[in-house]
Amino acid sequence: MSIEILDPVAEVIDNAPANRRLPKLGFLGWLSVAVIAIALFFAIFGPMLAPYDPTLSNLSYSNVGPIAGHPLGFDDQGRDVLSRLMAGARTTIFGAAFVSLIAIFVGTTLALLTAWFGGKTDTFISAALDVLFAFPGILLAVVAAAVFGPSLLSAGLALSIAYSPYVARVLRGAALKERAMTYISALEVQGFGALRLTVRHLLPNISALIVAQGTILFGFAMVDLAAISFLGLGVQSPNADWGVMVSEGKTSLLQGYPLVSLSAVFCIVSVVAAVSFLGDRLESSSRGGNR
Amino acid sequence: MSDLLTVTDLTVRLKMDSGMREVITGTSLSIAAGEAMGLVGESGSGKSMTAKAIARLLPDGAETLGSVVFDGVDVLALSGDELREHRAQVAVVFQDPRAHINPVRRIDDFMTESLRTLRNVPKGDARARAATALEEVGIDDPAKRLRQYPHELSGGMLQRVMIATALLSEPRLLLADECTTALDVTTQAEVMAILDDLRRDRGLSMLFITHDLELAGAVCDRTTVMYAGQVVETRAASLLHSDPLHPYSAALVDARPSIASTADRLRAIPGRPLSAFESPSGCRFAPRCSFAQDACREHDQVITELDGGFVRCERAIELRGKVREGAHV
């Protein structure tokens, strides 16, 4: 045997930075993190921290603008706008999170089922999803409100069901591609079961896409839930919710006091933008790192 | 016979859109314990399919005739746990290591998963065995490598991880399917050296599939040449190089560019390689063979013993010693 071992150390690629756990986000990325952190903080503690009772109305302050102690003024019912924003963070943010989590869970499960089993399972589930696609989320929410009575829960469940096919459709493609990879067949041949292969091998490989889908859905869910509350089918007045506030603010808006609606709109837009941006960043940084 | 693996008259048909297509016809080969057998041939000659048939990794719907006997057991009849046990004894290392490893799991998980979950080896023991195996294939600081992800290792390093992983199931036969083709030359030499050492230390039998006759000659005891799904020659590896019996083997030897000769053109074999299902009746190499006569095309060639080797050419004795000069006239 005339072949010698050369220097095995020479080919080591040392590209692992010390702080690889922290993805590079940039200024806007960290700003998004900050916005989300603040939003979460108020979602959890907002109702307790609100300086005034968010449902206490005092008609003598109707549509009064910012004054000392009430930096955002009062709405047409004379309720403190800042207190209502803080209290409303909970239903708005947790509602949207609930919708996107359920939709992601259902959608991912369906996508993995179709990708793994293929054939008739795929045909059946895909056909069922096509039917669901035909119903807009708002329409399903209206139907749910008609059947179960208007509440955040029924609206949220209806939206989750309406979003699931979108998740399933996008993830199915990614899962099918991953399913066809050689390493999956190699593991299959060794005798690993379907559950282990899908959960421990397939799922982590499409996780970046799942995160991206989740953040996009969170944005949609927040806007749609606000729209449903605006229609009066979600959170019920006088309970505070950003969507309800936009809705209720419209009378003030027409009377020349835009701050009620605008402050709620500003909150919705900042949180949606922050979540979408962060999801995008996380997805692209994980793509850059792993492949 | 003390052969570990005996393949007799193996014919493989694969299911294609257009029906069943034959990719291997009547292939026979045997590998003794501790022997390294080279398997060379052009693309589509059936080398990889032979290896896949031995490991029972043929695609769905494949038909096999003939027999593959490993250590006295008929491989083609195995199923369930016995098949799994067979695959533990016959390890396969493929060309592209990166395609065979989950990119988001650590080397540690990759190497120990089957030990832990399918063989119930405790986690600590499995990791220790993985580290030992990595040392055996010449990887320094195995503890560090085990913690890394596949994208942090180079191709050569990853191929060594593959070989180490294959060794964890304590195989007796290693099928190396072009496992060094994608590596650069120095890395290729390292990997070959490792395989050669392992074979000697562990008494591992090897089927070494490659395009590269010289590489096969360097590490193998015998070499089998395949063309269009058939074995055309089996010979001691060193002799195949200096004294090939079959015109195709001779042409393969000559097709390699050489530093010594300053020919203007490389000596390619005329025509294109054929697959088993599209090859003509009679001698399958006849359309590209410069020695072909009408008789060659009329009847199928049988494999005969000659000078310690086997050759599938009826004019082998007559052409003895002339195949190399005459291969390109």
Side-chain angles (χ1 to χ4, degrees), chain B residues 22-72:
Chain B
E22 197 159 297
V23 290
I24 302 178
T25 312
T27 287
S28 299
L29 59 87
S30 61
I31 301 177
E35 186 187 22
M37 166 74 91
L39 188 56
V40 297
E42 288 165 292
S43 306
S45 59
K47 310 182 297 276
S48 292
M49 279 303 157
T50 307
K52 285 189 173 162
I54 294 168
R56 280 286 302 274
L57 293 173
L58 289 170
D60 287 345
E63 256 176 27
T64 47
L65 300 172
S67 76
V68 176
V69 177
F70 179 82
D71 196 20

Side-chain angles (χ1 to χ4, degrees), chain A residues 1 3 6 8-9 11-13 16 20-21 182-183 189-192 196 200-201 204-205 289-291, chain B residues 57 87 99-106 113-114 117-118 140 145 151-152 154 157 160 186 189-190 196:
Chain A
M1 188 64 229
I3 299 171
L6 296 168
V9 192
E11 57 173 309
V12 174
I13 306 173
R20 67 173 160 207
R21 291 264 154 240
T182 330
Y183 74 87
V189 162
Q190 290 177 48
F192 289 106
R196 187 180 183 87
R200 299 204 45 160
H201 291 279
N205 275 292
N290 277 330
R291 295 290 167 102
Chain B
L57 293 173
R87 282 172 178 157
H100 290 83
I101 189 163
N102 185 340
V104 302
R105 307 284 304 278
R106 291 170 197 272
E113 182 162 22
S114 100
T117 57
L118 300 177
D140 290 339
R145 298 291 166 218
H151 70 268
E152 296 176 70
S154 66
M157 189 70 88
R160 279 190 250 182
T186 51
E190 286 166 28
D196 203 58

Side-chain angles (χ1 to χ4, degrees), chain A residues 5-280:
Chain A
I5 297 195
L6 296 168
D7 181 11
V9 192
E11 57 173 309
V12 174
I13 306 173
D14 239 330
N15 60 356
N19 61 341
R20 67 173 160 207
R21 291 264 154 240
L22 271 186
K24 290 196 189 78
L25 295 175
F27 172 71
L28 281 177
W30 286 113
L31 185 68
S32 307
V33 171
V35 170
I36 294 166
I38 294 169
L40 272 180
F41 176 80
F42 281 111
I44 298 167
F45 301 109
M48 297 158 229
L49 294 177
Y52 304 95
D53 181 352
T55 55
L56 180 73
S57 91
N58 183 346
L59 288 173
S60 58
Y61 284 104
S62 175
N63 285 335
V64 170
I67 56 169
H70 300 269
L72 293 174
F74 300 83
D75 64 5
D76 62 336
Q77 305 280 311
R79 294 173 297 202
D80 180 47
V81 172
L82 182 66
S83 299
R84 283 182 70 72
L85 276 183
M86 287 163 80
R90 179 171 285 177
T91 52
T92 316
I93 287 166
F94 285 156
F98 166 83
V99 168
S100 45
L101 282 181
I102 292 195
I104 285 287
F105 179 76
V106 174
T108 308
T109 310
L110 291 175
L112 289 177
L113 281 176
T114 54
W116 191 262
F117 293 106
K120 280 180 184 153
T121 318
D122 188 9
T123 315
F124 179 76
I125 294 180
S126 296
L129 292 181
D130 283 338
V131 174
L132 265 184
F133 264 118
F135 297 99
I138 300 270
L139 180 67
L140 276 187
V142 172
V143 173
V147 176
F148 303 110
S151 74
L152 183 64
L153 186 67
S154 60
L157 283 177
L159 276 188
S160 312
I161 293 169
Y163 289 158
S164 307
Y166 292 91
V167 184
R169 184 56 57 87
V170 173
L171 293 183
R172 172 180 170 269
L176 274 177
K177 197 176 128 227
E178 214 58 38
R179 167 83 169 96
M181 300 289 280
T182 330
Y183 74 87
I184 295 282
S185 354
L187 289 163
E188 225 178 338
V189 162
Q190 290 177 48
F192 289 106
L195 190 67
R196 187 180 183 87
L197 283 178
T198 43
V199 174
R200 299 204 45 160
H201 291 279
L202 253 180
L203 196 61
N205 275 292
I206 57 172
S207 59
L209 198 57
I210 295 178
V211 170
Q213 285 288 303
T215 56
I216 293 169
L217 274 193
F218 181 85
F220 278 129
M222 206 153 149
V223 172
D224 276 358
L225 275 182
I228 290 166
S229 296
F230 178 89
L231 293 174
L233 300 173
V235 176
Q236 297 300 300
S237 192
N239 290 326
D241 176 270
W242 295 350
V244 172
M245 289 178 70
V246 176
S247 163
E248 290 171 347
K250 67 182 185 288
T251 44
S252 313
L253 188 71
L254 291 173
Q255 291 163 27
Y257 303 98
L259 205 53
V260 186
S261 285
L262 283 188
S263 58
V265 164
F266 174 79
C267 291
I268 293 175
V269 169
S270 352
V271 174
V272 169
V275 170
S276 306
F277 186 80
L278 189 67
D280 193 48

Side-chain angles (χ1 to χ4, degrees), chain B residues 209-290:
Chain B
I209 300 174
T210 180
H211 292 291
D212 192 336
L213 264 182
E214 282 180 9
L215 196 60
V219 289
C220 298
D221 303 315
R222 288 189 297 154
T223 305
T224 295
V225 182
M226 286 190 80
Y227 182 78
Q230 286 181 322
V231 172
V232 295
E233 179 169 353
T234 299
R235 201 98 202 282
S238 49
L239 284 179
L240 183 76
H241 224 261
S242 56
D243 180 23
L245 297 176
H246 195 281
Y248 176 64
S249 318
L252 271 188
V253 172
D254 279 348
R256 267 194 76 91
S258 139
I259 297 177
S261 80
T262 48
D264 289 343
R265 288 192 57 138
L266 294 176
R267 292 173 159 186
I269 307 176
R272 68 176 180 89
L274 299 178
S275 299
F277 62 88
E278 55 181 2
S279 46
S281 59
C283 174
R284 290 184 172 181
F285 186 57
R288 303 172 70 192
C289 178
S290 45

